[in-house]
Each structure stands twice: as structure tokens, then as C-alpha cells.
Amino acid sequence: MIKSLRSRFGPTVAALILIIVVFGAGIFYGYRNAPSIDLVYGVKNKEAGLPGDVDFTLFWDAWRIINDKYAPGNNGTTSEKIATNEDKVYGAINGLAKSLGDPYSVFMNPEQTKTFASDINGNFEGVGMEIGIRDGVLTVIAPLKGTPAERAGIISGDRVLSIDGASASELSVDEAVRKIRGPKGTVVTLLVAPAKEGEAYDVKITRDVITIPTLEAEMKSSKPKKLIGKSGTTTQEESPIDVYLIKLYNFGSQSPYQFRDALRKFIDSGKDKLVIDLRGNPGGYLEAAVDIASWFLPINTPVVTEKFSNGKEDVVHKSLGYNVFNGNLKLAILVDGGSASASEILAGALSESGKAKLVGEKTFGKGSVQELVPLGGDSSFKITVARWYTPKGHSISLKGIIPDYVVERTRADFEKELDPQFDKAVEVLSSIK
């Protein structure tokens, strides 16, 4: 009986085993040959919005390999943190942004987006300096007046080589900002290569609440100069020269109104010599730059051209035509390596129109326009959408703006409170007939 059962069911069992093996082999073969995107689980909308001419097989292969093989742990080089699918999506978008090679185009997750919104409203804690990328190096555009960075001796053009011991060479501007920022009372250590001269040095800066100033204005009198006769004897002292100075720290929402009020005081003074100091001014709103330029330019005079890509038409921003000055105005603008963006727009427009003489050092060269684009989940993308060009078609990004009179202000000048650039501006205005 047993023998007969075996003879009856033996072929059946063998057949079932064969079917299972073949079925399993088919599943395995199908799995190995399935599209990579089908082998990734736990991710929604994998194919939504995919560009038709891009093969994402490599991306999904990499994703699957990470899920299947990566072993997190703390061995000094890897983190114990296990990345979520959301973390990997954010990381992928960060990599996409970095592939552009543009330090001003960055992805911001929800937390970073919230911080950015707080920053543009002027509410933040840190050291108080604007930074950018120049020649591939993290560079100080300008320390803000009265901030820990200024008190620590940081000046425009200083290069930040490391932050708290970690190299800054691969950081984007926004990544560096996040590392330098921090709660009031905490300390950040920067390795700084001086802008002018000297070896790199460590500087410890205690963070504080940052209040951004807008504008200061005053009547300044140059120091009397002794005139030397041909015989070498002193003949007389040259009379001091009165110059009205407007120091503009940024192009914020209140800048046009404060500039208007300062300009009214200058006009009421009856003087004809005006110096606008844009040194260390990192920029701000385009509208503020156009509004301020409008006090000096006839209506519809070009101030700056915004050049887009992807076939979008250029936009020429023009003077609003306040133009309250006659030909008697003598105007000089002070610029340096900390003058960027809106500062370069204003300086370029008034220089190329013949309204102002530029004195100082070459500007920073921040001639790109960023737009903040909201993304899903409260994240965002700050992306470069256009480039600035002066009225005569010069790219601000490529070379910055070179002054009519190049005058250096050394670190020693700062320490001794000497200002050869302002002195040169007074000399230039005095020579104009």
C-alpha cells in the first residue's frame, strides 16, 4: 500500500517541486530584469513629472543599492543616523542644485526655509557679516556695522578657510551661513586669510542678536592742508572743504525713504558736494536701487538690464525721473570689494551716465538675480534666474565694477581710522569746476 502511494504521488510531488523552482526562478529573473524604478519601495509619485529625455535608471539603481547594502554606524567617518526616504530626497535635490556650479542656487528644506524667512525679516542671531563665493573661495563681502564680526576686525575681502575646524572649501554660501549662525552667546571659530596682507589666523567670535543698520548722513569737513611755496616755506592753509556724506549700509525696504530724507537735508544745506558711501554694502532690493538712482537720472534712463535665459525677454529697469539736481551737483561714490549687487547697480548706473565719479576698489561682482520658488512640504528652491548688466552692457558678475580712481584702504588704515578713499573723493570733487 505504501509502495503504491509512493508510486502514485511521487511524480506529482516532483512536478510540484519543479513548478515551484521554475516559478521562483521566474520571479527572481523578473526581479533582476524589472525596471529599477519598480524595485524601489516606500516612495510615492516616482514617475510623476519625470522629463522624457532623461534616463533615471542609474538614480534608482543607486537608491536601491543604498537600501539593500548600506550599513550605517559610527566609525569616525559615517553617522549612526539612518537616513529616511525624505532625507534621501532632500539630499538628491541638494546634489542637483550643486551640479549647477552656482553658489547662489540652493535647495532649502522646511527648517532652512523657515530660517531664511526669518533672516530676510531682519530677525537673526550670528556674527553679522555678508559672505559670498569669489574665485571659488568663501569670502567676506562685508561685516555689518556694530556687529561681532566688525568688532573682531573682519573686513571686506577676508577669506574664510574653515568654520569650527571644518574646511569651508566645499560649502555653498547658504551652508556656510548656517554653520556660522547660532544662538546669542555661543562662539564660532573661523580660520581667516586676510584680504590685504598677512598669514591666516584663527578668530573666535561670540554670536549676538544682529541689528542691521540702514543709513547714516552727516556734513563732513576735510582737514585744512598746508600749501608749500616754491621756496619750501608754508604760505597759507587751504580752507576746509564741506562735503555731505551719505553712508548707505544696505538696500532694504526703508532705504529709499531714509535716503530721500538725507537728500533733503543735503539740498537744504546749500552745498554742492555729495559723497555716497557704498563700501561694505552687500545690496538688497532692486527696487531700492532704482528708486535712489532716480533722484539723479532723467525719467526712463536705463539703470540696469536683467538678462534671462530660456528665451525670456530682457527687462530694462529705468529711472522714475525724480531728477532733482541741476548741473551744479558734484557727486562721488565710494566702493570696495564689499560693494555688491544693488550697490553695483547704483554705482554702475550713475557712473556710466556721467553723474558720478567712482573712488575706491573693484566691487565684489555679485551680478546674479535669485528667485525663491516654493516647493512641496514647505521646502523651497532659491535659484538664479537672471544676470545684471550695466546700462552700457557690462556684466557685473564677470568683473565687478572698477572705479575711476583706484585707491586702496589697508588694514593699517582701518586700525588708525584713516580713510584715503574718502580723502581722494573730496580731492576729486574739489577739482570739478
Side-chain angles (χ1 to χ4, degrees):
M1 182 68 177
I2 295 175
K3 183 177 180 180
S4 64
L5 285 172
R6 285 179 178 174
S7 63
R8 183 183 305 172
F9 291 105
T12 302
V13 172
L16 286 172
I17 292 173
L18 179 61
I19 291 171
I20 292 171
V21 169
V22 171
F23 182 72
I27 292 175
F28 179 74
Y29 178 81
Y31 177 84
R32 291 292 300 271
N33 290 276
S36 297
I37 193 171
D38 292 341
L39 304 181
V40 174
Y41 301 100
V43 181
K44 297 179 180 178
N45 302 318
K46 290 182 288 186
E47 295 183 323
L50 286 179
D53 57 346
V54 179
D55 185 355
F56 276 84
T57 300
L58 185 64
F59 175 81
W60 292 117
D61 280 344
W63 185 293
R64 180 172 52 82
I65 290 170
I66 290 173
N67 283 352
D68 291 348
K69 298 182 179 296
Y70 177 66
N74 190 358
N75 59 10
T77 58
T78 59
S79 169
E80 291 182 342
K81 179 181 182 294
I82 298 176
T84 65
N85 283 339
E86 186 178 62
D87 292 332
K88 283 179 277 190
V89 170
Y90 289 162
I93 302 174
N94 268 320
L96 184 63
K98 288 185 176 181
S99 73
L100 301 175
D102 175 15
Y104 301 105
S105 291
V106 293
F107 167 73
M108 293 183 285
N109 64 33
E111 181 181 351
Q112 293 160 353
T113 299
K114 185 177 179 181
T115 300
F116 179 79
S118 175
D119 290 350
I120 61 177
N121 288 325
N123 305 313
F124 63 89
E125 298 175 338
V127 303
M129 64 185 190
E130 294 280 347
I131 55 177
I133 302 293
R134 176 186 284 168
D135 299 328
V137 181
L138 189 66
T139 303
V140 177
I141 298 176
L144 303 179
K145 181 178 174 60
T147 61
E150 185 187 51
R151 292 192 292 270
I154 299 294
I155 65 173
S156 298
D158 282 351
R159 291 154 291 161
V160 179
L161 306 183
S162 71
I163 304 168
D164 284 333
S167 173
S169 62
E170 299 298 323
L171 297 178
S172 70
V173 173
D174 285 66
E175 288 170 335
V177 166
R178 289 194 290 270
K179 289 180 177 292
I180 295 172
R181 291 272 175 85
K184 175 182 178 179
T186 59
V187 176
V188 61
T189 301
L190 306 179
L191 178 61
V192 176
K196 304 297 183 180
E197 66 278 322
E199 297 182 357
Y201 63 97
D202 279 324
V203 56
K204 294 181 181 294
I205 307 177
T206 301
R207 301 177 175 103
D208 202 348
V209 175
I210 304 302
T211 302
I212 302 176
T214 299
L215 180 148
E216 291 178 355
E218 62 176 323
M219 185 67 72
K220 293 193 69 172
S221 296
S222 64
K223 294 180 179 179
K225 295 182 180 179
K226 293 182 179 180
L227 301 180
I228 309 300
K230 292 183 179 179
S231 61
T233 60
T234 300
T235 57
Q236 67 178 56
E237 284 193 343
E238 184 182 85
S239 300
I241 301 169
D242 291 333
V243 175
Y244 195 76
L245 174 67
I246 299 177
K247 170 66 177 173
L248 193 59
Y249 292 101
N250 64 73
F251 288 82
S253 59
Q254 296 303 308
S255 299
Y257 309 109
Q258 294 188 25
F259 189 87
R260 177 197 60 198
D261 293 341
L263 212 55
R264 182 180 294 116
K265 292 179 181 178
F266 165 64
I267 294 171
D268 291 343
S269 74
K271 303 297 182 182
D272 63 353
K273 297 178 181 64
L274 173 65
V275 173
I276 301 174
D277 189 352
L278 299 179
R279 292 175 297 181
N281 185 323
Y285 294 119
L286 165 67
E287 293 80 5
V290 172
D291 190 279
I292 291 172
S294 297
W295 291 106
F296 307 95
L297 300 174
I299 192 168
N300 290 330
T301 301
V303 174
V304 70
T305 298
E306 197 173 1
K307 289 184 177 289
F308 297 87
S309 58
N310 302 322
K312 187 175 179 180
E313 280 191 27
D314 297 345
V315 176
V316 180
H317 299 274
K318 299 178 180 181
S319 167
L320 303 174
Y322 307 149
N323 193 28
V324 296
F325 295 102
N326 55 30
N328 294 329
L329 175 67
K330 299 171 183 178
L331 174 63
I333 298 177
L334 300 177
V335 293
D336 65 3
S339 307
S341 188
S343 287
E344 295 171 292
I345 289 172
L346 179 61
L350 297 187
S351 172
E352 291 187 354
S353 67
K355 297 292 184 178
K357 296 295 183 183
L358 305 186
V359 181
E361 299 171 83
K362 185 171 78 72
T363 62
F364 187 83
K366 169 63 169 66
S368 58
V369 187
Q370 282 72 47
E371 179 182 340
L372 188 67
V373 182
L375 298 177
D378 295 326
S379 57
S380 60
F381 206 127
K382 181 157 70 75
I383 185 168
T384 297
V385 296
R387 305 282 172 177
W388 299 124
Y389 284 77
T390 66
K392 292 187 176 180
H394 297 125
S395 169
I396 292 175
S397 289
L398 289 178
K399 296 181 179 179
I401 296 176
I402 299 174
D404 302 296
Y405 301 89
V406 177
V407 180
E408 184 181 14
R409 191 182 187 191
T410 66
R411 189 176 291 272
D413 291 329
F414 278 98
E415 293 171 353
K416 296 177 182 177
E417 297 185 352
L418 299 176
D419 195 344
Q421 295 170 339
F422 176 77
D423 294 341
K424 183 64 177 180
V426 173
E427 177 188 323
V428 169
L429 294 183
S430 300
S431 66
I432 298 175
K433 303 302 181 183

